[in-house]
Amino acid sequence: LLEAAEIELPTQIEGRSMLPLLSNTAATSHWRAYMHGEHAPCYHKDMGMQFLTDGKEKYIWYTCTGEEQLFDLVDDPNELHDLSGDSKSGDRLLLWRARMVAELAERSDDGLCDDGQLIAGKTLPAVRASLPEHE
């Protein structure tokens, strides 16, 4: 494996290198509580989403429709049973929604949250203008 010091990260990159996780499994428990990701609406405008996962649960929020999904990845690794409507999962859904708000609050230009609330109806572009163009 390459050493993290060998790779120069572009200044436009958010976050940090995941290389230490590939070389040291003990580091995973101290790296972060969950991972945030997003998927651009490249197939259909309603399919743009933001997601969070800690490897045991996964929360998905569709930015255009506002639909939420919550999955127990331990018991349902294929994400077949959405728990977001289950009254037993209400506290878990609130926790993950609050985490999503915290993640998106720093991205005020995207308009996905305001005053501690997720704001649906926004379709983000597949490529952000602030990122360099790939040749």
Side-chain angles (χ1 to χ4, degrees), residues 32-35 52-59 71-75 77 96:
R32 61 173 66 166
Y34 56 85
M35 182 180 79
L52 300 172
T53 184
D54 63 1
K56 297 175 185 171
E57 294 181 313
K58 183 176 181 181
Y59 171 77
F71 297 99
D72 179 338
L73 299 177
V74 174
D75 293 334
W96 285 104

Side-chain angles (χ1 to χ4, degrees), residues 56-75:
K56 297 175 185 171
E57 294 181 313
K58 183 176 181 181
Y59 171 77
I60 303 170
W61 178 63
Y62 292 88
T63 59
C64 190
T65 65
E67 177 187 354
E68 296 174 298
Q69 294 179 319
L70 180 65
F71 297 99
D72 179 338
L73 299 177
V74 174
D75 293 334

Side-chain angles (χ1 to χ4, degrees), residues 5 13 21 23 28-29 31 34 38-39 46-49 51 59 65-66 71 76 79 87 91 93 118 128 130 132 134:
I13 299 291
L21 296 177
S23 61
T28 59
S29 64
W31 196 62
Y34 56 85
E38 60 188 289
H39 190 280
D46 291 348
M47 295 309 293
M49 71 172 86
F51 69 88
Y59 171 77
T65 65
F71 297 99
D76 181 21
E79 301 176 23
S87 61
D91 289 342
L93 187 64
L118 295 173
R128 294 185 192 175
S130 62
H134 297 286

Side-chain angles (χ1 to χ4, degrees), residues 4-131:
E6 295 178 28
I7 298 175
E8 185 177 329
L9 296 176
T11 57
Q12 299 87 356
I13 299 291
E14 296 176 8
R16 58 186 175 173
S17 173
M18 294 177 67
L19 281 175
L21 296 177
L22 299 175
S23 61
N24 182 0
T25 56
T28 59
S29 64
H30 303 292
W31 196 62
R32 61 173 66 166
Y34 56 85
M35 182 180 79
H36 172 235
E38 60 188 289
H39 190 280
C42 55
Y43 306 113
H44 187 277
K45 71 177 184 75
D46 291 348
M47 295 309 293
M49 71 172 86
Q50 302 283 321
F51 69 88
L52 300 172
T53 184
D54 63 1
K56 297 175 185 171
E57 294 181 313
K58 183 176 181 181
Y59 171 77
I60 303 170
W61 178 63
Y62 292 88
T63 59
C64 190
T65 65
E67 177 187 354
E68 296 174 298
Q69 294 179 319
L70 180 65
F71 297 99
D72 179 338
L73 299 177
V74 174
D75 293 334
D76 181 21
N78 295 319
E79 301 176 23
L80 300 175
H81 305 286
D82 177 12
L83 302 174
S84 65
D86 184 346
S87 61
K88 296 177 188 176
S89 300
D91 289 342
R92 301 303 304 158
L93 187 64
L94 290 174
L95 170 71
W96 285 104
R97 185 183 303 136
R99 288 176 171 173
M100 182 64 76
V101 167
E103 285 292 320
L104 298 176
E106 296 179 18
R107 295 170 42 176
S108 59
D109 291 347
D110 288 344
L112 296 175
C113 74
D114 186 35
D115 197 27
Q117 301 292 319
L118 295 173
I119 308 297
K122 180 88 175 190
T123 301
L124 296 179
V127 177
R128 294 185 192 175
S130 62
L131 295 179

